Short mmCIF file of all heavy atoms in Angstrom, two decimals:
data_model
loop_
_atom_site.label_atom_id
_atom_site.label_comp_id
_atom_site.label_asym_id
_atom_site.label_seq_id
_atom_site.Cartn_x
_atom_site.Cartn_y
_atom_site.Cartn_z
N GLN A 43 6.85 27.98 -8.29
CA GLN A 43 5.85 27.68 -7.28
C GLN A 43 4.51 27.41 -7.95
O GLN A 43 4.07 28.15 -8.82
CB GLN A 43 5.72 28.86 -6.31
CG GLN A 43 4.73 28.62 -5.16
CD GLN A 43 4.66 29.83 -4.24
OE1 GLN A 43 5.57 30.64 -4.21
NE2 GLN A 43 3.58 29.93 -3.50
N HIS A 44 3.83 26.33 -7.56
CA HIS A 44 2.63 25.90 -8.26
C HIS A 44 1.55 26.98 -8.28
O HIS A 44 0.84 27.15 -9.27
CB HIS A 44 2.07 24.62 -7.63
CG HIS A 44 0.93 24.02 -8.40
ND1 HIS A 44 -0.39 24.40 -8.19
CD2 HIS A 44 0.91 23.12 -9.40
CE1 HIS A 44 -1.18 23.73 -9.02
NE2 HIS A 44 -0.42 22.94 -9.76
N SER A 45 1.42 27.72 -7.19
CA SER A 45 0.38 28.74 -7.12
C SER A 45 0.62 29.88 -8.10
O SER A 45 -0.27 30.68 -8.36
CB SER A 45 0.29 29.30 -5.70
OG SER A 45 1.52 29.90 -5.32
N LEU A 46 1.85 29.96 -8.66
CA LEU A 46 2.18 31.03 -9.58
C LEU A 46 2.10 30.61 -11.04
O LEU A 46 2.26 31.43 -11.93
CB LEU A 46 3.60 31.56 -9.31
CG LEU A 46 3.84 32.13 -7.91
CD1 LEU A 46 5.30 32.55 -7.78
CD2 LEU A 46 2.92 33.31 -7.63
N LEU A 47 1.85 29.34 -11.29
CA LEU A 47 1.86 28.84 -12.66
C LEU A 47 0.71 29.40 -13.48
O LEU A 47 0.85 29.72 -14.65
CB LEU A 47 1.80 27.31 -12.67
CG LEU A 47 3.01 26.60 -12.06
CD1 LEU A 47 2.84 25.10 -12.18
CD2 LEU A 47 4.29 27.02 -12.77
N GLY A 48 -0.47 29.49 -12.88
CA GLY A 48 -1.60 30.06 -13.58
C GLY A 48 -2.14 29.23 -14.72
O GLY A 48 -2.82 29.75 -15.59
N ARG A 49 -1.83 27.95 -14.76
CA ARG A 49 -2.27 27.12 -15.88
C ARG A 49 -3.73 26.74 -15.73
O ARG A 49 -4.16 26.25 -14.71
CB ARG A 49 -1.44 25.85 -15.98
CG ARG A 49 -1.92 24.90 -17.09
CD ARG A 49 -0.98 23.74 -17.23
NE ARG A 49 -1.05 22.83 -16.11
CZ ARG A 49 -1.82 21.74 -16.06
NH1 ARG A 49 -2.62 21.46 -17.07
NH2 ARG A 49 -1.82 20.96 -15.01
N LYS A 50 -4.51 26.97 -16.78
CA LYS A 50 -5.86 26.44 -16.84
C LYS A 50 -6.06 25.68 -18.14
O LYS A 50 -6.65 24.61 -18.15
CB LYS A 50 -6.89 27.56 -16.72
CG LYS A 50 -8.31 27.02 -16.65
CD LYS A 50 -9.30 28.10 -16.29
CE LYS A 50 -10.69 27.50 -16.13
NZ LYS A 50 -11.70 28.53 -15.79
N ILE A 51 -5.59 26.24 -19.24
CA ILE A 51 -5.63 25.58 -20.53
C ILE A 51 -4.19 25.38 -21.01
O ILE A 51 -3.37 26.28 -20.91
CB ILE A 51 -6.40 26.41 -21.58
CG1 ILE A 51 -7.77 26.82 -21.03
CG2 ILE A 51 -6.54 25.62 -22.88
CD1 ILE A 51 -8.69 25.68 -20.72
N LEU A 52 -3.90 24.20 -21.53
CA LEU A 52 -2.58 23.88 -22.05
C LEU A 52 -2.71 23.47 -23.51
O LEU A 52 -3.63 22.73 -23.87
CB LEU A 52 -1.94 22.75 -21.25
CG LEU A 52 -0.57 22.26 -21.72
CD1 LEU A 52 0.49 23.33 -21.49
CD2 LEU A 52 -0.18 20.97 -21.01
N ALA A 53 -1.82 23.95 -24.35
CA ALA A 53 -1.79 23.56 -25.76
C ALA A 53 -0.34 23.36 -26.17
O ALA A 53 0.55 24.06 -25.68
CB ALA A 53 -2.46 24.61 -26.65
N ALA A 54 -0.11 22.42 -27.07
CA ALA A 54 1.25 22.14 -27.52
C ALA A 54 1.21 21.63 -28.95
O ALA A 54 0.22 21.05 -29.39
CB ALA A 54 1.93 21.12 -26.61
N ILE A 55 2.29 21.87 -29.67
CA ILE A 55 2.46 21.33 -31.01
C ILE A 55 3.64 20.38 -30.99
O ILE A 55 4.73 20.74 -30.54
CB ILE A 55 2.68 22.45 -32.05
CG1 ILE A 55 1.42 23.32 -32.13
CG2 ILE A 55 3.01 21.86 -33.43
CD1 ILE A 55 1.55 24.49 -33.08
N ILE A 56 3.39 19.16 -31.44
CA ILE A 56 4.39 18.09 -31.40
C ILE A 56 4.81 17.76 -32.82
O ILE A 56 3.97 17.66 -33.72
CB ILE A 56 3.82 16.81 -30.72
CG1 ILE A 56 3.55 17.07 -29.24
CG2 ILE A 56 4.76 15.64 -30.86
CD1 ILE A 56 2.17 17.60 -28.94
N MET A 57 6.10 17.59 -33.03
CA MET A 57 6.63 17.19 -34.34
C MET A 57 7.05 15.73 -34.28
O MET A 57 7.77 15.31 -33.37
CB MET A 57 7.83 18.05 -34.73
CG MET A 57 8.42 17.70 -36.09
SD MET A 57 9.83 18.75 -36.56
CE MET A 57 11.10 18.15 -35.42
N ARG A 58 6.59 14.95 -35.26
CA ARG A 58 6.97 13.54 -35.37
C ARG A 58 7.72 13.31 -36.67
O ARG A 58 7.41 13.90 -37.70
CB ARG A 58 5.75 12.63 -35.34
CG ARG A 58 4.97 12.63 -34.03
CD ARG A 58 3.90 11.56 -34.08
NE ARG A 58 4.48 10.23 -34.04
CZ ARG A 58 3.87 9.13 -34.52
NH1 ARG A 58 2.67 9.23 -35.09
NH2 ARG A 58 4.44 7.95 -34.45
N ARG A 59 8.70 12.41 -36.62
CA ARG A 59 9.43 11.99 -37.82
C ARG A 59 9.05 10.54 -38.10
O ARG A 59 9.40 9.64 -37.35
CB ARG A 59 10.93 12.11 -37.62
CG ARG A 59 11.43 13.55 -37.45
CD ARG A 59 12.92 13.60 -37.25
NE ARG A 59 13.41 14.95 -37.06
CZ ARG A 59 13.83 15.75 -38.04
NH1 ARG A 59 13.84 15.29 -39.28
NH2 ARG A 59 14.27 16.97 -37.80
N GLY A 60 8.34 10.33 -39.19
CA GLY A 60 7.90 8.98 -39.53
C GLY A 60 6.89 8.46 -38.54
O GLY A 60 6.17 9.21 -37.88
N GLN A 61 6.83 7.15 -38.40
CA GLN A 61 5.88 6.50 -37.50
C GLN A 61 6.53 6.01 -36.22
O GLN A 61 5.87 5.40 -35.38
CB GLN A 61 5.21 5.31 -38.22
CG GLN A 61 4.44 5.70 -39.47
CD GLN A 61 3.33 6.68 -39.18
OE1 GLN A 61 2.56 6.51 -38.22
NE2 GLN A 61 3.22 7.73 -39.98
N GLU A 62 7.82 6.26 -36.07
CA GLU A 62 8.54 5.79 -34.90
C GLU A 62 8.52 6.84 -33.81
O GLU A 62 8.83 8.01 -34.04
CB GLU A 62 9.99 5.45 -35.27
CG GLU A 62 10.13 4.33 -36.28
CD GLU A 62 9.61 3.02 -35.75
OE1 GLU A 62 9.74 2.79 -34.52
OE2 GLU A 62 9.08 2.22 -36.54
N GLY A 63 8.16 6.44 -32.61
CA GLY A 63 8.23 7.32 -31.46
C GLY A 63 7.11 8.34 -31.44
O GLY A 63 6.29 8.44 -32.36
N LEU A 64 7.08 9.11 -30.36
CA LEU A 64 6.05 10.13 -30.17
C LEU A 64 6.42 11.45 -30.80
O LEU A 64 5.55 12.25 -31.13
CB LEU A 64 5.81 10.35 -28.67
CG LEU A 64 5.25 9.17 -27.89
CD1 LEU A 64 5.12 9.53 -26.43
CD2 LEU A 64 3.91 8.76 -28.46
N GLY A 65 7.70 11.70 -30.94
CA GLY A 65 8.13 13.00 -31.44
C GLY A 65 8.59 13.88 -30.29
O GLY A 65 8.93 13.41 -29.20
N VAL A 66 8.59 15.18 -30.54
CA VAL A 66 9.08 16.13 -29.56
C VAL A 66 8.19 17.37 -29.57
O VAL A 66 7.68 17.77 -30.62
CB VAL A 66 10.54 16.51 -29.87
CG1 VAL A 66 10.66 17.16 -31.23
CG2 VAL A 66 11.13 17.41 -28.80
N VAL A 67 7.99 17.95 -28.41
CA VAL A 67 7.22 19.18 -28.30
C VAL A 67 8.07 20.34 -28.82
O VAL A 67 9.15 20.61 -28.29
CB VAL A 67 6.81 19.45 -26.83
CG1 VAL A 67 6.10 20.80 -26.72
CG2 VAL A 67 5.89 18.34 -26.32
N VAL A 68 7.61 21.01 -29.87
CA VAL A 68 8.36 22.12 -30.44
C VAL A 68 7.80 23.47 -30.02
O VAL A 68 8.45 24.51 -30.19
CB VAL A 68 8.42 22.03 -31.98
CG1 VAL A 68 9.18 20.79 -32.41
CG2 VAL A 68 7.02 22.06 -32.59
#
């Protein structure tokens, strides 16, 4: 439920392999 998420700040680390694609959130 959205009211329970409590998100205000979001941070993520993404891994990329080479220059192709965006990578994946690890």
Side-chain angles (χ1 to χ4, degrees):
Q43 183 180 339
H44 187 272
S45 61
L46 300 178
L47 295 182
R49 176 174 70 94
K50 185 170 184 181
I51 308 297
L52 177 68
I55 296 178
I56 294 89
M57 181 179 72
R58 295 187 70 204
R59 294 180 181 269
Q61 300 300 314
E62 298 296 327
L64 296 178
V66 61
V67 175
V68 296

